[in-house]
Amino acid sequence: MTTKISIDTDTIQLDQFLKWAGVLASGGEIRQLIEERRIRRNGEIETTKRRRLAPGDIIEIEGLGSYEVTRD
């Protein structure tokens, strides 16, 4: 099941999105998950925490869940 998370802007950085959604608390946690190749964006392994996300993007974190970026 994918959790929908609404943003107030056109785009948002991956690290900001995960903090906004309450998924992770710090950039250090995000960096570690990226190094462990546990984060996917639209099915592709993510390599940078500052990747710009837009509505419709799906973020999957191994062991934590799946999140869709939406906009009100």
Side-chain angles (χ1 to χ4, degrees):
M1 179 178 191
T2 300
T3 302
K4 295 181 185 241
I5 305 293
S6 182
I7 61 173
D8 297 331
T9 56
D10 291 334
T11 63
I12 189 170
Q13 288 181 182
L14 174 62
D15 57 342
Q16 293 171 337
F17 174 74
L18 293 176
K19 288 184 222 174
W20 170 258
V23 177
L24 300 175
S26 73
E29 290 177 289
I30 296 164
R31 189 175 317 111
Q32 181 177 349
L33 290 172
I34 286 174
E35 288 174 4
E36 294 172 356
R37 303 174 57 93
R38 291 178 52 197
I39 299 178
R40 292 182 178 268
R41 180 181 54 91
N42 301 327
E44 300 292 322
I45 297 211
E46 189 50 68
T47 59
T48 179
K49 71 179 190 173
R50 298 199 190 278
R51 176 78 62 209
R52 299 301 290 181
L53 305 178
D57 282 341
I58 306 281
I59 302 302
E60 298 168 280
I61 305 173
E62 183 182 315
L64 292 178
S66 178
Y67 309 89
E68 179 179 356
V69 181
T70 63
R71 173 110 196 246
D72 287 334

